[in-house]
C-alpha cells in the first residue's frame, strides 16, 4: 500500500473494535494468503493458561476478513462482504502467541464471475491456527458472501 493509503491490517484494526481489543498483529495480507498473530496476553487466557477459544475464533475470523478484503476489495463499491457461517475445531492445546493463516477456498475470479452474473456468491475461507512451534492448534472454515448493494 502507498504511504497515503492504509494497509488492510491498519483498516481492520481501525474499524473492528475486537481486533484492537485483542491487539491483533496483521502480517502478510494478499489475495492468496493472510497472516494474523495473536500475542500472548494474560487478559485473554483460558483456565489452562493459553489463549481463550473466543480469542482464537476472533483471530481466525479476522484473518479470513483480511483475505476477503485483499481478494475482493475492488468489489466494495458494489457488494458488501459478510461472514455467513463458521465452524472451528480446536486440535491441540494452544500456548503462547498463535498465528492464523487464511486461504481462499475458491478462485476469486469464479466468485467475481458469479457477482457479475447478478448472483450472491458464497465462498469458503480456510484458516489454520498454529503455535510458534508450527503445531496446528485449530482449524476454521468460514463461509463468506458478497452481498450486492441495493
Amino acid at each position: 500500500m502507498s504511504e497515503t493509503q492504509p494497509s488492510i491490517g491498519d483498516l481492520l484494526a481501525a474499524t473492528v473494535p475486537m481486533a484492537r481489543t485483542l491487539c491483533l498483529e496483521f502480517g502478510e495480507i494478499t489475495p492468496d494468503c493472510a497472516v494474523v498473530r495473536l500475542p500472548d496476553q494474560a487478559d485473554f487466557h483460558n483456565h489452562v493458561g493459553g489463549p481463550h477459544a473466543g480469542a482464537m475464533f476472533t483471530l481466525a475470523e479476522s484473518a479470513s476478513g483480511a483475505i476477503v478484503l485483499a481478494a475482493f476489495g475492488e468489489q466494495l463499491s458494489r457488494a458488501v462482504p459478510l461472514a455467513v457461517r463458521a465452524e472451528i475445531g480446536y486440535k491441540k492445546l494452544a500456548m503462547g502467541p498463535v498465528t492464523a493463516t487464511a486461504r481462499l477456498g475458491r478462485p476469486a475470479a469464479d466468485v467475481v464471475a458469479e457477482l457479475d452474473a447478478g448472483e450472491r456468491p458464497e465462498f469458503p475461507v480456510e484458516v489454520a491456527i498454529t503455535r510458534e512451534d508450527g503445531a496446528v492448534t485449530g482449524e476454521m472454515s468460514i463461509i463468506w458472501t458478497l452481498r450486492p448493494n441495493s
Side-chain angles (χ1 to χ4, degrees):
M1 297 254 128
S2 73
E3 288 180 29
T4 59
Q5 197 172 30
S7 69
I8 289 172
D10 291 341
L11 178 66
L12 285 171
T15 60
V16 179
M18 278 301 294
R20 286 192 311 276
T21 297
L22 292 176
C23 302
L24 297 182
E25 299 169 354
F26 294 87
E28 173 190 5
I29 301 174
T30 70
D32 298 314
C33 179
V35 178
V36 182
R37 183 175 181 270
L38 173 65
D40 187 27
Q41 301 166 85
D43 286 345
F44 304 116
H45 281 177
N46 58 21
H47 62 289
V48 294
H52 189 277
M56 292 194 337
F57 185 101
T58 300
L59 168 69
E61 195 276 340
S62 297
S64 77
I67 198 169
V68 167
L69 287 175
F72 302 109
E74 293 179 1
Q75 308 307 319
L76 294 180
S77 64
R78 65 183 184 138
V80 175
L82 298 169
V84 175
R85 62 188 169 277
E87 183 175 322
I88 191 164
Y90 301 100
K91 307 294 183 183
K92 290 186 178 192
L93 184 61
M95 297 298 282
V98 289
T99 300
T101 302
R103 299 194 187 282
L104 286 180
R106 287 182 57 198
D110 293 354
V111 175
V112 172
E114 287 181 22
L115 187 63
D116 290 342
E119 298 174 27
R120 182 176 170 166
E122 289 190 358
F123 54 95
V125 175
E126 305 300 330
V127 183
I129 304 169
T130 56
R131 299 186 303 221
E132 285 192 317
D133 66 3
V136 175
T137 63
E139 296 174 329
M140 184 180 216
S141 180
I142 305 167
I143 303 299
W144 284 81
T145 189
L146 295 179
R147 185 194 75 201
N149 295 335
S150 315

